[in-house]
Structure formats: C-alpha cells, structure tokens
Amino acid sequence: MMSMHEFREMRRKNQALSLEECEAILYARSSGILAVAGDNDYPYTVPLSYIYHDGKIFFHSARTGHKLDAISRNDKVSFCVIDQDHVMPQEYTTYFRSIVVFGRVRVLEDEREKREVLEKLIAKYSPNYVQGGLQEVDKFFPHVCLIELAIERMTGKEAIELVRMRDEKES
C-alpha cells in the first residue's frame, strides 16, 4: 500500500513530459478539470478556469456548493489539463498531451492574498479590461471564494507518436 506521500510511477516513462513542459502547459491553457472526493464516495469532477503562479494553482469558486463541501471533508485533489487532443482516425489513435497534478487545497482567507490572486486572474483572462475587472473585484469581493492547490506531484504525458516526431526532428 502507498504511504501518504508516495505516488504511482508512470508506466511509459519514455512518454513523460519534463517539469518545464508541464509548467508551460499550465501557463498556456485556460481551463482544467478538478477532481475531488464527492458525496457518497463518488468522485466529483468540475471544469474550471485557473491560474498557475509560484508553483501553485489558483481558482475561484462560489462560497458554497458541492466542490467546497468535498474540499472541506478531504483536501486531497487532482487536476488535469489537456494541452492537445488530435484524433487521428486513419491511425486509430489520438495525438494527445496532458498533465495531471496531485495536491492539497485550501481556501484563501487573507484579503490581501485573495485580492492578489483575483488581479492575476484578471491579467490572464481579461488583459484588455483590467480597470473594469478591478471594479468587478471590488463589487463581488465579499462573495468570492479563492482556492489554492499546493502541488505535491505533477506528471505530464504525450502520445508516443509525438515523442517519435520530436526524436526525428532532433536527430
């Protein structure tokens, strides 16, 4: 049995992405899927927007709901981001690239910390509307919940065909 901080190794190590490649995906993409331990032991997944900053993932939420109930019971989560998913019907496969993160979440309580994360969300998603975004922050600040995912393990994987293409370019 695995201990609290042990994670399963990737089977196909030759398809693994480097830490830098995983981080590049987190910076570049705008949505991912959060998985929590939901009601009645059913996994609960929810798509959400996020930012990646200082080695952590942040996302916003309503102050109540299934996601927050699950997090309050168990702070261990996983988060998946799909970078590429090209179906290749003639090859009966998919050229994919994705990452999976495991970690623990916490609700941010400090107002300065919350405002900083909201400003980074605005910078990522509405860079041409920062002033309006800051007004929205002021308007809805008391009702917004912000969550930090501290990463304990991050892995990335890509289709073997993409690995082969990269190897061919490098040789």
Side-chain angles (χ1 to χ4, degrees):
M1 188 162 163
M2 290 183 221
S3 75
M4 194 164 73
H5 294 300
E6 289 181 8
F7 292 93
R8 189 180 294 249
E9 288 298 316
M10 185 181 296
R11 233 175 11 97
R12 299 193 174 175
K13 291 180 177 38
N14 62 326
Q15 291 176 250
L17 299 175
S18 69
L19 174 62
E20 293 76 19
E21 290 168 314
C22 290
E23 287 185 320
I25 291 169
L26 281 174
Y27 283 120
R29 297 295 158 233
S30 61
S31 65
I33 308 290
L34 179 72
V36 298
D39 295 347
N40 300 312
D41 296 326
Y42 281 97
Y44 175 64
T45 59
V46 60
L48 47 82
S49 301
Y50 70 92
I51 58 164
Y52 179 65
H53 178 70
D54 284 342
K56 297 176 184 169
I57 297 168
F58 298 88
F59 52 93
H60 67 86
S61 171
R63 295 187 83 61
T64 60
H66 193 166
K67 176 176 57 216
L68 281 182
D69 290 346
I71 287 169
S72 70
R73 287 190 307 268
N74 184 345
D75 67 344
K76 293 178 183 177
V77 302
S78 66
F79 186 70
C80 174
V81 176
I82 297 171
D83 182 51
Q84 177 177 317
D85 181 32
H86 297 297
V87 176
M88 304 300 287
Q90 69 280 12
E91 297 179 40
Y92 310 102
T93 193
T94 303
Y95 288 10
F96 69 89
R97 183 178 294 118
S98 62
I99 64 164
V100 175
V101 168
F102 296 92
R104 293 180 178 255
V105 291
R106 72 178 179 99
V107 174
L108 300 182
E109 302 294 343
D110 180 76
E111 289 200 7
R112 183 190 50 76
E113 201 174 26
K114 286 171 59 174
R115 192 167 292 278
E116 184 179 312
V117 170
L118 286 168
E119 289 172 2
K120 289 182 185 332
L121 280 162
I122 291 167
K124 179 175 181 175
Y125 292 96
S126 301
N128 297 325
Y129 305 96
V130 172
Q131 194 55 45
L134 294 174
Q135 290 171 352
E136 289 289 300
V137 166
D138 290 339
K139 184 176 174 182
F140 294 105
F141 191 78
H143 309 290
V144 173
C145 176
L146 289 157
I147 299 167
E148 172 193 278
L149 192 171
I151 298 171
E152 294 180 326
R153 174 139 166 96
M154 178 165 44
T155 61
K157 186 176 176 183
E158 66 183 350
I160 191 66
E161 294 83 1
L162 296 176
V163 173
R164 290 178 184 141
M165 282 188 240
R166 188 179 352 189
D167 288 348
E168 287 172 11
K169 283 182 185 176
E170 291 174 1
S171 55

